[in-house]
């Protein structure tokens, strides 16, 4: 499953904006170039045009962002200076939360002019200790490293929008090393001003990495598609990126996009929930392990590319949920289009389309919590994987229902595509693309029932597209499937010390020998296995001073679930 975040926002004009500069100098690789690690990166941040009073908010770095630990507590050699000389910094931390908590720095004296901040950021080879989370942390594999700015870049505590200049010092990184960011290969700069949240959503990858196209120009902004990956995937990386580039060009047509901005794909290994990823400021960060199926991964790539073109609903800047309450739209539309658009383009087979559709349907219709109201999702999002997948699954089936009803109401002349293009047209003309806009558009298209159905979905009513919702090639059926059941209290898995409690009597976990009081010593992936009826879960458990594996099939009661099958008389081409 792709992680929920699509951290994009409306651009800000670059003209007259101050230019923030970041220089990254990765350490020499330890071990063989293709297998070693980059232990740290030296970071320099130059922040211009400051006039900050003594003791006033100056700098910040998340301690935790979207359940990912940053380097705030492990960075070393932190120094700062402005036009008046060295600046002494004092740190203060927010309370820890699963979504966002900051370390803040203040100065004992006024700070003015350009503030230069230098420090060393360690790079990890370990799985995220907090469990399921998007691949944002600084990570090293195969002689390369990558990470989102929000997990390692100290930024100003300011509402100012900055242009961003990225510089790479690869003098210690070895021959053939490269540096890539959202803005291109090598030293590059944004063409738009970015607020602090957007700066934090910038992604970097450097060192001994692979690139496609290999001859991408350096030092200038790339328009269109480019990609980079670290480590050794179990598939042909170049071939997969060529497929993705082809799909990108189809999306330009579908979404009537001029394609003037770059679209980057970054791939890296992941020890928890491999196969997912996150969209950040016009780039997709995907993850793999040695079991990743390239056919499934294509749908992940297709999903995240939708985010770049459609993005999220506009939300208030102070929205503490980070858009989780509106993710039914962004994630739902991405899941809806991730198989439909590649099918239209002839880039996946009808059988592959069905397999992806039915994985979503199986996960939703067997989900014991599929009646959870949307308003309850933000508070429980990271704590329970069954809640975490609801915006994806329920949203996608809702959009399938809308598409079916629009086609019937217009006698085939209009579809969901027209409604989404109308939403995008609002944003392109500076109008809000928010919840109210969708209500206006769906009501205009379907009348009052459009809002009634939307509200029912958001309140947790079961969403059931009709038999022909996915076109004349497919029809709806039912099949017996088992519900996902972890077998103990799911919040255990996001706590610093994962001690089992609330073991369900008679569950597969209990039958496999798990006990209340067992400590789970490694993060546990769940999101990807919920749609797979046969996927087992292995817990590494510490009991009485010894660590032992406990493997079981995390399934409970059997229910009748809706699925779709191909009609016997269906034509060879389905799109």
């Amino acid at each position: 499953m792709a992680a929920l975040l699509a951290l994009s926002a409306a651009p800000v004009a670059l003209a007259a904006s101050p230019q923030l500069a970041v220089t990254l100098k990765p350490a020499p690789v330890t071990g063989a170039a293709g297998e070693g690690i980059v232990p740290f990166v030296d970071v320099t941040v130059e922040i211009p045009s400051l006039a900050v009073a003594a003791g006033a908010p100056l700098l910040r770095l998340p301690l935790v962002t979207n359940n990912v630990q940053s380097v705030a507590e492990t960075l070393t050699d932190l120094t700062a200076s402005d036009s008046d000389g060295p600046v002494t910094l004092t740190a203060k931390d927010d309370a820890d939360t699963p979504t966002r908590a900051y370390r803040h720095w203040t100065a004992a004296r006024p700070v003015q002019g350009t503030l230069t901040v230098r420090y060393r950021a360690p790079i990890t080879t370990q799985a995220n200790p907090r469990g399921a989370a998007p691949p944002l942390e600084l990570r090293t594999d195969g002689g390369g490293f990558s990470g989102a700015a929000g997990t390692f870049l100290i930024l100003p505590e300011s509402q100012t929008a900055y242009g961003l200049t990225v510089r790479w010092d690869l003098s210690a990184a070895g021959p053939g090393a490269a540096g890539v960011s959202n803005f291109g290969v090598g030293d590059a700069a944004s063409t738009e001003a970015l607020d602090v949240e957007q700066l934090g959503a910038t992604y970097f990858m450097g060192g001994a990495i692979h690139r496609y196209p290999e001859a991408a120009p350096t030092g200038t902004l790339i328009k269109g598609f480019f990609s980079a990956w670290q480590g050794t995937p179990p598939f042909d990386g170049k071939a997969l990126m060529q497929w993705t580039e082809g799909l990108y060009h189809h999306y330009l047509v579908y979404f009537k996009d001029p394609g003037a901005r770059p679209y980057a794909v970054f791939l890296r290994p992941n020890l928890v929930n491999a196969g997912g990823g996150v969209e950040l400021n016009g780039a997709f960060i995907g993850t793999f392990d040695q079991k990743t199926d390239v056919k499934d991964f294509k749908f992940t790539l297709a999903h995240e590319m939708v985010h770049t073109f459609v993005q999220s609903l506009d939300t208030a800047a102070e929205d503490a949920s980070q858009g989780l309450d509106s993710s039914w739209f962004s994630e739902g539309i991405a899941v809806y289009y991730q198989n439909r658009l590649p099918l239209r383009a002839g880039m996946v087979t009808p059988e592959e389309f069905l397999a992806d559709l039915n994985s979503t349907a199986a996960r939703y219709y067997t989900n014991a919590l599929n009646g959870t109201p949307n308003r309850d999702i933000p508070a429980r999002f990271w704590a329970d994987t069954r809640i975490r997948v609801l915006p994806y699954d329920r949203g996608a089936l809702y959009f399938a229902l809308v598409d079916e009803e629009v086609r019937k109401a217009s006698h085939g002349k209009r579809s969901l595509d027209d409604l989404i293009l109308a939403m995008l047209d609002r944003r392109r003309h500076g109008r809000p693309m928010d919840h109210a806009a969708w209500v206006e558009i769906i009501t205009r298209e379907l009348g009052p029932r459009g809002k009634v159905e939307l509200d029912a979905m958001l309140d947790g009513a079961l969403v059931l597209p009709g038999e022909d919702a996915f076109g004349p090639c497919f029809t709806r059926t039912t099949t017996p499937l088992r519900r996902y059941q972890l077998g103990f209290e799911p919040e255990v898995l996001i706590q610093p010390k994962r001690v089992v409690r609330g073991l369900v009597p008679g569950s597969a976990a209990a039958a496999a020998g798990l006990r209340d009081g067992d400590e789970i010593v490694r993060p546990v992936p769940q999101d990807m296995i919920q749609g797979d009826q046969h996927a087992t879960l292995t817990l590494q458990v510490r009991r009485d001073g010894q660590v032992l594996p406990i493997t079981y099939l995390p399934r409970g009661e059997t229910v009748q679930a809706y699925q779709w099958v191909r009609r016997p008389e269906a034509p060879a081409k389905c799109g």
Side-chain angles (χ1 to χ4, degrees):
M1 181 189 92
L4 119 107
L5 302 178
L7 299 180
S8 301
V12 178
L14 184 62
S17 297
Q19 195 77 11
L20 186 149
V22 173
T23 302
L24 301 180
K25 182 179 181 180
V29 174
T30 301
E35 302 174 358
I37 65 171
V38 181
F40 60 84
V41 58
D42 287 328
V43 182
T44 302
V45 183
E46 299 170 70
I47 307 168
S49 308
L50 289 179
V52 179
L58 179 62
L59 302 168
R60 74 181 192 186
L61 174 63
L63 290 156
V64 175
T65 178
N66 296 290
N67 212 37
V68 174
Q69 284 186 341
S70 78
V71 303
E73 295 182 285
T74 57
L75 64 83
T76 61
D77 305 323
L78 175 61
T79 64
S81 62
D82 66 358
S83 56
D84 292 331
V87 175
T88 301
L89 300 174
T90 300
K92 182 179 180 180
D93 295 346
D94 292 337
D96 187 9
T97 71
T99 52
R100 186 69 63 88
Y102 286 97
R103 173 162 290 184
H104 306 268
W105 285 273
T106 58
R109 65 166 177 81
V111 175
Q112 58 185 356
T114 296
L115 178 67
T116 301
V117 182
R118 293 184 173 89
Y119 56 96
R120 177 164 291 179
I123 307 178
T124 187
T125 59
Q126 304 301 312
N128 176 37
R130 303 174 70 96
L136 305 178
E137 78 281 4
L138 270 180
R139 177 166 186 83
T140 178
D141 305 271
F145 78 97
S146 61
T151 66
F152 76 94
L153 202 61
I154 294 177
L155 293 170
E157 188 116 42
S158 168
Q159 298 301 313
T160 301
Y162 294 88
L164 177 61
T165 296
V166 177
R167 302 172 184 141
W168 292 90
D169 181 348
L170 300 171
S171 57
V180 184
S181 67
N182 297 58
F183 313 117
V185 179
D187 296 350
S190 68
T191 58
E192 299 162 348
L194 307 171
D195 62 30
V196 174
E197 291 298 320
Q198 292 170 313
L199 289 171
T202 304
Y203 203 77
F204 304 91
M205 180 173 285
I209 60 176
H210 311 274
R211 292 188 286 130
Y212 173 81
E214 295 178 3
T218 62
T220 58
L221 181 78
I222 295 175
K223 293 183 179 180
F225 181 88
F226 67 103
S227 62
W229 61 98
Q230 67 188 72
T232 305
F235 45 75
D236 184 332
K238 180 179 178 180
L240 180 59
M241 291 301 97
Q242 289 173 327
W243 181 92
T244 308
E245 182 181 31
L247 186 62
Y248 167 80
H249 289 293
H250 282 288
Y251 278 26
L252 291 176
V253 176
Y254 289 138
F255 295 113
K256 302 184 185 303
D257 193 290
R261 299 177 66 191
Y263 179 69
V265 173
F266 299 95
L267 303 180
R268 74 182 198 184
N270 189 11
L271 303 180
V272 179
N273 277 344
V278 62
E279 190 268 352
L280 294 177
N281 278 356
F284 169 55
I285 298 84
T287 68
F288 59 85
D289 62 17
Q290 293 307 303
K291 297 180 180 179
T292 298
D293 186 325
V294 72
K295 291 182 179 180
D296 294 336
F297 200 45
K298 285 180 177 179
F299 289 114
T300 299
L301 290 161
H303 173 107
E304 295 299 334
M305 199 185 297
V306 174
H307 283 312
T308 296
F309 287 88
V310 178
Q311 301 182 16
S312 305
L313 291 180
D314 299 334
T315 57
E318 65 275 10
D319 181 4
S321 73
Q322 296 184 283
L324 293 176
D325 54 354
S326 63
S327 60
W328 63 269
F329 181 90
S330 59
E331 298 301 348
I333 201 66
V335 174
Y336 173 81
Y337 277 129
Q338 74 184 31
N339 49 42
R340 181 159 291 204
L341 293 187
L343 181 66
R344 289 185 199 172
M347 297 183 69
V348 300
T349 66
E351 290 71 25
E352 290 168 339
F353 166 86
L354 271 180
D356 188 66
L357 165 62
N358 283 331
S359 177
T360 295
R363 197 166 63 178
Y364 174 66
Y365 292 115
T366 63
N367 191 336
L369 301 182
N370 63 14
T372 302
N374 189 71
R375 59 182 172 271
D376 294 341
I377 287 177
R380 302 172 62 189
F381 185 83
W382 293 112
D384 194 322
T385 185
R386 296 169 298 176
I387 295 294
R388 198 155 53 244
V389 300
L390 271 180
Y392 299 78
D393 301 344
R394 183 162 64 194
L397 292 164
Y398 163 75
F399 283 117
L401 176 65
V402 169
D403 180 66
E404 178 186 24
E405 293 186 344
V406 170
R407 289 177 186 275
K408 288 181 178 178
S410 66
H411 303 289
K413 296 179 180 179
R414 290 173 62 77
S415 70
L416 177 69
D417 294 359
D418 296 289
L419 278 63
I420 296 302
L421 289 173
M423 288 285 279
L424 297 179
D425 189 65
R426 291 178 64 95
R427 176 165 283 163
R428 289 166 185 159
H429 288 85
R431 300 173 64 197
M433 185 179 130
D434 54 12
H435 184 92
W438 178 251
V439 171
E440 176 186 328
I441 286 172
I442 195 67
T443 302
R444 184 169 62 239
E445 195 73 28
L446 296 176
R449 73 168 176 169
K451 185 175 186 305
V452 170
E453 289 177 344
L454 171 63
D455 290 342
M457 181 271 292
L458 294 176
D459 284 340
L462 190 75
V463 179
L464 182 59
E467 292 185 357
D468 301 324
F470 295 97
C473 286
F474 312 106
T475 188
R476 195 182 70 201
T477 186
T478 60
T479 189
L481 297 173
R482 299 179 66 190
R483 294 192 189 277
Y484 182 80
Q485 184 184 60
L486 178 62
F488 56 93
E489 176 54 54
E491 287 191 12
V492 165
L493 297 179
I494 65 167
Q495 294 171 346
K497 189 172 183 179
R498 295 174 283 267
V499 178
V500 174
R501 65 177 185 274
L503 187 67
V504 177
S507 66
L514 192 67
R515 303 176 188 171
D516 282 328
D518 285 343
E519 180 186 357
I520 300 170
V521 298
R522 294 182 186 173
V524 179
Q526 296 182 84
D527 297 345
M528 297 298 291
I529 68 174
Q530 280 192 78
D532 185 345
Q533 288 280 307
H534 306 291
T536 59
L537 185 63
T538 297
L539 306 177
Q540 297 295 327
V541 169
R542 179 181 289 117
R543 181 189 301 162
D544 298 329
Q546 294 187 334
V547 175
L548 63 149
I550 294 180
T551 299
Y552 62 99
L553 183 67
R555 295 287 156 184
E557 67 174 318
T558 298
V559 296
Q560 289 294 319
Y562 295 102
Q563 297 277 270
W564 275 261
V565 296
R566 190 167 182 178
R567 296 180 186 275
E569 69 276 15
K573 181 176 175 56
C574 297

